[in-house]
């Protein structure tokens, strides 16, 4: 089971009084996207901070058995189609590594990094 982790600290300082911060808006968008049955193996998760705060609105596609991705400068009011496409590509890629030729151009601008799966090693007795 994978997660879409959303930074809740994003946009807290810029939010107008009574308006939800950008991170909360992004989390609600992710929850809506993950209602799609194609993404039934994913769960949304709020996290306190993903770092790299110079890139507003960050999220991570994370799974210990697959490549994980971190995206930044995501605009919850404009990037819904991109997020749906990236999540779909990530879910469909057996290892989570989206082939370079299939990556949307916007992903290249928003990708902050990708991390390999966690190695499972037997510990010596």
């Amino acid at each position: 089971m994978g997660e879409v982790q959303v930074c809740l600290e994003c946009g807290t300082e810029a939010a107008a009084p009574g308006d939800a911060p950008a991170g909360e808006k992004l989390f609600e968008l992710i929850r809506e996207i993950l209602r799609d049955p194609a993404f039934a193996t994913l769960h949304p998760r709020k996290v306190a901070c993903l770092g790299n705060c110079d890139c507003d609105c960050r999220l991570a596609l994370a799974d210990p058995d697959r490549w994980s991705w971190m995206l930044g400068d995501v605009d919850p009011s404009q990037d819904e189609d991109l997020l749906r496409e990236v999540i779909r590509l990530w879910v469909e890629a057996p290892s989570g590594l989206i082939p370079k030729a299939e990556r949307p151009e916007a992903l290249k601008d928003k990708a902050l990094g990708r991390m390999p799966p966690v190695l499972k090693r037997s510990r010596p007795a």
Side-chain angles (χ1 to χ4, degrees):
M1 291 276 187
E3 297 180 337
V4 180
Q5 304 166 346
V6 178
C7 178
L8 293 185
E9 294 297 314
C10 291
T12 53
E13 294 176 7
D19 195 16
E24 285 286 351
K25 291 177 183 178
L26 180 57
F27 182 78
E28 289 307 315
L29 174 59
I30 292 299
R31 280 186 12 163
E32 180 63 32
I33 290 171
L34 296 186
R35 285 190 177 103
D36 185 324
F39 307 137
T41 61
L42 299 177
H43 298 285
R45 179 178 169 202
K46 295 179 178 182
V47 295
C49 182
L50 289 171
N52 205 347
C53 298
D54 289 341
C55 297
D56 201 23
C57 260
R58 292 166 312 281
L59 64 85
L61 305 174
D63 188 312
D65 296 321
R66 309 176 56 201
W67 281 81
S68 295
W69 290 76
M70 179 121 131
L71 308 178
D73 288 328
V74 177
D75 185 335
S77 66
Q78 295 182 3
D79 290 330
E80 180 176 354
D81 291 341
L82 172 65
L83 291 172
R84 284 183 188 278
E85 183 177 8
V86 169
I87 293 170
R88 178 188 60 78
L89 289 167
W90 184 66
V91 166
E92 290 176 357
S95 69
L97 187 58
I98 302 168
K100 196 175 224 178
E102 294 178 28
R103 294 178 197 158
E105 196 62 36
L107 174 59
K108 296 172 188 172
D109 293 334
K110 296 188 184 293
L112 300 178
R114 57 183 191 264
M115 289 65 65
V118 176
L119 291 177
K120 296 176 183 163
R121 298 179 190 224
S122 299
R123 292 186 178 211

